[in-house]
Amino acid sequence: PGKRRLRRYLETLDLSGTRVSTGGIRALAHFLGCAEDCHLKALRLDKCGVSDGAAAALFRGVERAKCLKNLSVAKNRVGPKAAVALAKALHGSRTDLRDLNASGNSLHGLPLAFLCESLAHSVTVRRFDLSWNLLGKVGDDEDPPLPGEAPPAVLALARCLARNRVLHSLSLANCGLDGAAVEALAAGLEENQSLVALRINEGNAARCDAKMFLEVSLASPDGRGKARDKGHCWSDAGYREIEFRFEARASGDTWDPTKPLYLHLDCDGWRADLMEADGQQDDDDFDRYRAGRHAAAKPLKRGRHQRLHREEHDRSG
């Protein structure tokens, strides 16, 4: 009875750096499925030597875990079996998983595509870390993509980004994405309105600027490769959303709402960004604007980052 009461109070479990056997993982999966006894909200199993089969068993337990919100299985041997099990867990309605870290594993090919298809319909996952997985790799029994085409896993992830409405943060750093893969992801991101943090600059043929516009960034002609650029990520410390107002008549000119309005930011080299009216007004009769399309070939539609407000009435008097 005492152990049972202790399990009920356990909300965070961090076993990172501790080698956990397959039997231990299966016992943990069984514990996660005990609705009455398990109130675990955060579970970390980074660098625990978890095999693909053991991770699959763990994710079957995650599927029944109603309280688990944060799960990290970074730097293990999570592979195709576990990817399918995790996809089924995300597709189910029982789990309330919000933060998922699967970086540094062996996720690729059709199993990863299946996982991305399930993520497209998830209504809970807010943060997903897929960094240090070879997303462009295909399985041994799969046909390689034609030149200039993205592999199935990347295409599935692009469809996921176009459909998903709750994912806020995605890390794809060091995934070996080539130009075709980046273009496919950028096409999916054109329909996305929820993502505010994208880390993709490192280890890929991609560049994501301060306004979250994604474009292909290939190696330099001299063969030395592109400069190391970690990019901008709105989830990093030091970034925050700012809304500000401006008085169109302050310069003495009459405001013409039919003319284009541009935003220039220091963090993006003062490049012009065309603003689009979002069709809403706040309680103070201000028109609301947001960043629109970028001059790059593959832009992202903006969400709620930089907004301009135009005052309809002259309040100076």
Side-chain angles (χ1 to χ4, degrees):
K3 292 183 179 180
R4 185 172 183 177
R5 286 195 298 269
L6 179 62
R7 290 196 298 266
R8 286 183 175 181
Y9 287 107
L10 184 62
E11 294 186 353
T12 302
L13 180 59
D14 189 351
L15 297 175
S16 300
T18 303
R19 188 169 185 83
V20 183
S21 64
T22 300
I25 294 295
R26 293 184 183 277
L28 183 58
H30 176 73
F31 169 61
L32 290 173
C34 298
E36 296 183 358
D37 294 335
C38 181
H39 297 274
L40 199 64
K41 295 181 179 180
L43 174 61
R44 296 186 63 90
L45 295 170
D46 301 344
K47 298 179 66 176
C48 289
V50 180
S51 65
D52 186 27
L58 175 69
F59 294 148
R60 285 192 287 270
V62 170
E63 184 178 2
R64 302 189 301 273
K66 297 181 179 180
C67 296
L68 190 65
K69 298 184 183 299
N70 302 317
L71 174 64
S72 181
V73 289
K75 300 179 181 179
N76 287 290
R77 298 195 300 275
V78 178
K81 295 180 181 178
V84 173
L86 180 57
K88 293 180 179 179
L90 295 180
H91 189 70
S93 59
R94 296 181 181 180
T95 180
D96 192 28
L97 202 60
R98 305 293 180 87
D99 192 329
L100 177 59
N101 185 353
S103 63
N105 284 286
S106 301
L107 296 172
H108 62 272
L110 291 178
L112 176 58
F114 184 41
L115 172 59
C116 292
E117 291 290 349
S118 295
L119 183 64
H121 303 284
S122 172
V123 295
T124 62
V125 178
R126 303 292 194 271
R127 300 172 60 90
F128 191 24
D129 191 341
L130 268 176
S131 60
W132 292 100
N133 284 280
L134 294 178
L135 271 63
K137 180 181 177 181
V138 296
D140 296 335
D141 55 347
E142 302 174 25
D143 295 329
L146 297 176
E149 293 186 357
V154 174
L155 294 176
L157 181 58
R159 291 192 295 269
C160 166
L161 293 174
R163 298 172 185 172
N164 190 282
R165 295 295 180 266
V166 298
L167 188 65
H168 291 172
S169 174
L170 176 65
S171 179
L172 300 176
N174 297 289
C175 288
L177 299 174
D178 59 11
V182 172
E183 289 184 353
L185 292 175
L189 282 166
E190 289 185 6
E191 304 300 324
N192 184 278
Q193 293 293 327
S194 64
L195 203 66
V196 297
L198 175 63
R199 186 172 295 285
I200 195 172
N201 285 28
E202 291 182 279
N204 300 297
R207 179 182 181 274
C208 187
D209 65 15
K211 299 195 190 82
M212 285 268 296
F213 293 109
L214 180 63
E215 58 187 357
V216 177
S217 178
L218 302 176
S220 59
D222 59 9
R224 291 182 298 179
K226 62 179 182 179
R228 183 176 178 83
D229 182 8
K230 293 185 178 181
H232 302 268
C233 191
W234 294 100
S235 62
D236 291 345
Y239 285 95
R240 61 189 178 91
E241 181 179 344
I242 297 178
E243 295 191 8
F244 56 93
R245 304 174 189 266
F246 75 99
E247 172 60 69
R249 296 181 179 86
S251 62
D253 297 330
T254 302
W255 173 255
D256 185 358
T258 63
K259 292 183 178 180
L261 177 66
Y262 296 91
L263 173 67
H264 302 261
L265 294 179
D266 178 32
C267 61
D268 199 27
W270 300 109
R271 290 193 293 177
D273 189 17
L274 179 63
M275 308 299 291
E276 296 176 349
D278 63 7
Q280 299 181 11
Q281 288 186 340
D282 61 15
D283 296 335
D284 296 326
D285 294 330
F286 286 92
D287 281 347
R288 304 171 71 90
Y289 286 81
R290 67 183 181 187
R293 291 187 172 274
H294 193 267
K298 294 293 182 179
L300 297 179
K301 287 183 178 179
R302 292 316 314 273
R304 301 182 297 274
H305 300 316
Q306 302 93 16
R307 286 177 176 171
L308 291 178
H309 299 71
R310 176 175 63 84
E311 189 171 15
E312 287 287 351
H313 305 291
D314 187 359
R315 301 176 184 273
S316 61

